[in-house]
Amino acid sequence: MRVVTLAEPDDFDAWRDAARGLIADGVPPDQVVWQVGDKAADLFATNPAPAQPAAAAAPGFSVPRAFLDLARDVILSAEPERFALLYTVLARLRREPKLVEDHADPLIRRLEVIAKRVRQDIHKMRAFLRFREVADDDGTSRYVAWFEPEHHIVRANAAFFVNRFASMRWSILTPEVSLHWDGQALAQGPGATKADAPEGDPTEEVWKTYYASIFNPARVKIGAMLKEMPRKYWKNMPETALVGQLIAGAQARESGMITKARAAPNDGVGGNSQIAWEALRDEAMSCTRCHLYKHATQTVFGEGPVDAAMMFVGEQPGDNEDLAGKPFIGPAGQVFDRAVAAAEIDRSRVYVTNAVKHFKFEARGKRRIHAKPGAGEIEACRWWIEQEQALIKPQVTVALGATAARSLLGRVVTISRERGRPMALADGSNAWITVHPSYLLRLPDPAQREDEFAKFVEDLKLAKAALG
């Protein structure tokens, strides 16, 4: 019996190195006990040999990229058997190279369920964590948050909070590990208790005022809210103290909206979804979440049926879209329409939107030249994309270009490496990544342009096929 000890419960690299060595030595899965520190992670082990440190890395071998992506998520799980389950799949991959594509296989299906729970936990930490302001010993402000994750996701989530709150000095306290950012470097500390976190601060009143101002009964379904925001997180979120009174005060408005919804035409999903989308669009028309609104003509919101199974996300509106207030009507939109038709996708049945809702440009005389959105602008607009996805609930979302992919996945994406395969989103649906139609317009060689257009159409066909 071989015992492998990993120093940390979320160390994918250490697990991978150890697994390489075991495969190289021909050790079968039932002869390996995985543990973190001195805690066994294999519930079925009996009388194991003394623990040894993780083996030094052995020569690598090829495995499908999809397995690596799955393993990185599963490693973060609190499932005690995760290391053993992954090693079992790895051993089988040597004999069954397409195993990870067999979603009916019980072991693959089990790992996919575990990975989905991890992604949901990552999403909840990003959505429900709240900072409270405290004063450091030197009198400067620091923002402290308390969170209780279900899985080992804290270190994996660190880059998200560093990027989003780069200018703040903050600490995130959890039972397992703490993170501290001083504006320049990220430090890790031991776990904490809730008593170590502050109870409240003056900024909470500002947050409560904002939350009350955007509360809209047409867009808040209490059952869905409880499902997406479990009560265990409420105690850490200042706005949830208002939920009861806001719901009570919304009854009259809600009854009026129900009357209006009943009078709405039957769109296949009921009038309420359409009314909720219209409320969201109207709210977006006055968006000032980043500076782009100051120069753009108007917000360009998404367009399409609210029950669309397929959603397309582009980069940002162009000059034509900015003036007309409609997405994908300019030269790139015409290429998009031609490709959608070639892929036999009904354009009238898909929802089309952009990662950034305002036109970013550089003025050159009377011309407005497209300028690529920055990370801050993409991040500021992610809220709108998340709301659109929550309302539309597409089965498949197609990211057109790197900006759209970054908005959906929350990280920088290389299109050439990721296109042509599904990418899991936090809500359990899949995203497919391809080029933006404007890329095709910039190609100077007609033959290359036609070749790339054909590849673009194939990407759309793959995404359509994923609808089943």
Side-chain angles (χ1 to χ4, degrees), residues 14 118 206 273 352 453:
V118 168
V206 177
S273 295
V352 181
F453 179 81

mmCIF file of all heavy atoms in Angstrom, residues 14 118 206 273 352 453:
data_model
loop_
_atom_site.group_PDB
_atom_site.id
_atom_site.type_symbol
_atom_site.label_atom_id
_atom_site.label_comp_id
_atom_site.label_asym_id
_atom_site.label_seq_id
_atom_site.Cartn_x
_atom_site.Cartn_y
_atom_site.Cartn_z
ATOM 1 N N ALA A 14 0.635 19.501 -6.467
ATOM 2 C CA ALA A 14 1.213 18.416 -5.679
ATOM 3 C C ALA A 14 0.521 17.092 -5.998
ATOM 4 O O ALA A 14 1.184 16.050 -6.108
ATOM 5 C CB ALA A 14 1.098 18.729 -4.189
ATOM 6 N N VAL A 118 -18.371 22.873 -6.580
ATOM 7 C CA VAL A 118 -17.234 23.755 -6.301
ATOM 8 C C VAL A 118 -17.416 25.091 -7.011
ATOM 9 O O VAL A 118 -17.218 26.151 -6.417
ATOM 10 C CB VAL A 118 -15.919 23.078 -6.737
ATOM 11 C CG1 VAL A 118 -14.767 24.088 -6.743
ATOM 12 C CG2 VAL A 118 -15.588 21.913 -5.812
ATOM 13 N N VAL A 206 -24.817 53.112 3.587
ATOM 14 C CA VAL A 206 -24.807 53.477 2.170
ATOM 15 C C VAL A 206 -25.249 52.293 1.328
ATOM 16 O O VAL A 206 -26.057 52.418 0.399
ATOM 17 C CB VAL A 206 -23.391 53.953 1.748
ATOM 18 C CG1 VAL A 206 -23.356 54.265 0.263
ATOM 19 C CG2 VAL A 206 -22.985 55.167 2.561
ATOM 20 N N SER A 273 -41.642 37.391 -17.142
ATOM 21 C CA SER A 273 -40.248 37.380 -17.579
ATOM 22 C C SER A 273 -39.961 38.579 -18.474
ATOM 23 O O SER A 273 -38.907 39.204 -18.371
ATOM 24 C CB SER A 273 -39.941 36.076 -18.329
ATOM 25 O OG SER A 273 -40.041 34.972 -17.469
ATOM 26 N N VAL A 352 -28.978 38.376 -28.106
ATOM 27 C CA VAL A 352 -27.682 38.952 -28.474
ATOM 28 C C VAL A 352 -27.402 40.156 -27.587
ATOM 29 O O VAL A 352 -28.263 41.039 -27.428
ATOM 30 C CB VAL A 352 -27.671 39.370 -29.954
ATOM 31 C CG1 VAL A 352 -26.310 39.951 -30.318
ATOM 32 C CG2 VAL A 352 -27.989 38.179 -30.847
ATOM 33 N N PHE A 453 -13.840 32.511 -41.786
ATOM 34 C CA PHE A 453 -15.299 32.571 -41.698
ATOM 35 C C PHE A 453 -15.872 31.160 -41.584
ATOM 36 O O PHE A 453 -16.794 30.910 -40.789
ATOM 37 C CB PHE A 453 -15.887 33.281 -42.917
ATOM 38 C CG PHE A 453 -17.389 33.354 -42.917
ATOM 39 C CD1 PHE A 453 -18.052 34.321 -42.183
ATOM 40 C CD2 PHE A 453 -18.143 32.440 -43.633
ATOM 41 C CE1 PHE A 453 -19.446 34.383 -42.162
ATOM 42 C CE2 PHE A 453 -19.534 32.497 -43.628
ATOM 43 C CZ PHE A 453 -20.184 33.471 -42.891
#
